Amino acid sequence: MQTLHTIAELRSVLSEHRRSGKKIALVPTMGNLHRGHIKLVEVARSEADIVVASIFVNPLQFGPNEDLDSYPRTLQDDQKKLQDAGCDYLFAPNNSEIYPEGRDQQTLVEVPMLSDLYCGTTRPGHFCGVTTVVCKLFNICQPDLAIFGEKDYQQLRIIRKMVSDLCIPVEIQSVATVRADDGLALSSRNGYLNEEERAAAPAMQQTLQLTCQAISQGNHDFRQLESEAESQLSAAGLIPDYVRIVRRSDLLPAQAGDSSLVILTAAYLGPTRLIDNCEIDCNS
Ligand code: PAF
């Protein structure tokens, strides 16, 4: 695997492959790779001739009081994991390669409405940072295919809308969340948890499962279920940010009679913010 730090280097190697008709897949990441990321690379490997992973801790998607400075940067370990997973190129630019005129001068890409809901309410500007960098990565790499994890459900939905609205010729493929044995969704931020917090963390997945169970047993009082789920999180020692039962189609609050649903949640354990979700088909 080759590690490239500049846009010019990446474009140069990829243009050769494109000319010879090779299918290129991109796996965008912020590094500190775990089994969830490696699964994305494996899917990319099985779908494309050339696999590119990117590692860029994108300052634009962090709020002023968030963990940009402490976000784990583990390039050497990540390189080894990517190499072992069969990645061909790692694109690891620095901030000035991606934002040469600084973040304040950067043209932004914003998906309205969806970016303001749920995680977007708690983290204003976060999704605009995500769509801006993902759009740039798509333009830099021009992949045929890009792979994202389903843990970041709202992010995935927003990226699909951006690609559709801006007619970006990239197929978006999603991969199911990879979990620890106790059900906790793998996330780079799990590394922030102390022993006690780590022991409490699976309550998130358990709460989602209980809510899904209640829905499949015929309880469609979604607002009541949301508030019960928040109480369950609190009882387990988490501070709920939100639990929302929404339609998969537009992520708006589910109403009685809606069938394809997803439960989205975010909660804090100490200073660490975790997210998770669970799809459920509801037969009325
Ligand atoms: O999901 C992530 O790791 C990031 O939001 C992404 C898509 C790599 C953009 O920085």
Side-chain angles (χ1 to χ4, degrees), residues 6-8 10-11 14 18 26-29 52 54-61 91 93-111 127-143 146 148 159 162-163 166 168-170 172:
T6 68
I7 296 170
L10 184 70
R11 283 210 163 132
L14 292 184
R18 208 169 290 112
L26 173 68
V27 181
T29 81
V52 181
S54 64
I55 294 183
F56 179 61
V57 182
N58 173 33
L60 221 57
Q61 69 188 75
F91 178 51
N94 62 20
N95 283 351
S96 61
E97 187 69 9
I98 298 296
Y99 302 120
E101 294 179 57
R103 53 189 293 174
D104 296 341
Q105 303 253 16
Q106 173 62 47
T107 300
L108 301 175
V109 178
E110 179 141 35
V111 172
F127 287 120
C128 178
V130 170
T131 40
T132 299
V133 82
V134 170
C135 184
K136 290 194 77 148
L137 290 168
F138 285 174
N139 285 331
I140 291 165
C141 179
Q142 296 173 36
F148 294 88
I159 289 170
M162 172 187 78
V163 162
L166 298 181
I168 300 176
V170 177
I172 304 297

